[in-house]
C-alpha cells in the first residue's frame, strides 16, 4: 500500500472555505478558495475523495451547490 499524499494545513483551510462558500451559495468564493490549493494537496484531496467514492465536484454539490 502506498502512502497517500499529504494535504497541507493551508490547503485544508482553503478547502473548508470552499465547502462553506458552496454551502452558502457563493460559487465565485468557492472557486477562488479552490484555486489557492497547491497541486500536491489537490492530488491528496482527490485521492481522499476517491476513497469515499466521490469527487470534489460531488462534495461541493452536497454542501449546497457547486461553484
Amino acid at each position: 500500500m502506498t502512502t497517500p499524499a499529504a494535504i497541507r494545513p493551508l490547503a485544508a483551510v482553503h478547502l473548508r472555505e470552499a465547502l462553506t462558500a458552496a454551502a452558502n451559495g457563493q460559487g465565485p468564493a468557492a472557486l477562488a478558495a479552490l484555486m489557492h490549493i497547491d497541486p500536491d494537496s489537490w492530488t491528496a484531496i482527490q485521492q481522499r475523495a476517491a476513497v469515499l467514492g466521490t469527487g470534489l465536484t460531488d462534495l461541493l454539490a452536497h454542501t449546497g451547490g457547486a461553484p
Side-chain angles (χ1 to χ4, degrees), residues 6-47:
I7 300 172
R8 291 186 174 94
L10 188 54
V13 170
H14 290 309
L15 178 60
R16 183 182 66 218
E17 290 172 348
L19 293 172
T20 300
N24 292 326
Q26 300 170 335
L31 181 58
L34 291 174
M35 292 177 65
H36 284 92
I37 297 174
D38 64 278
D40 292 335
S41 293
W42 186 258
T43 298
I45 291 167
Q46 289 178 313
Q47 288 172 350

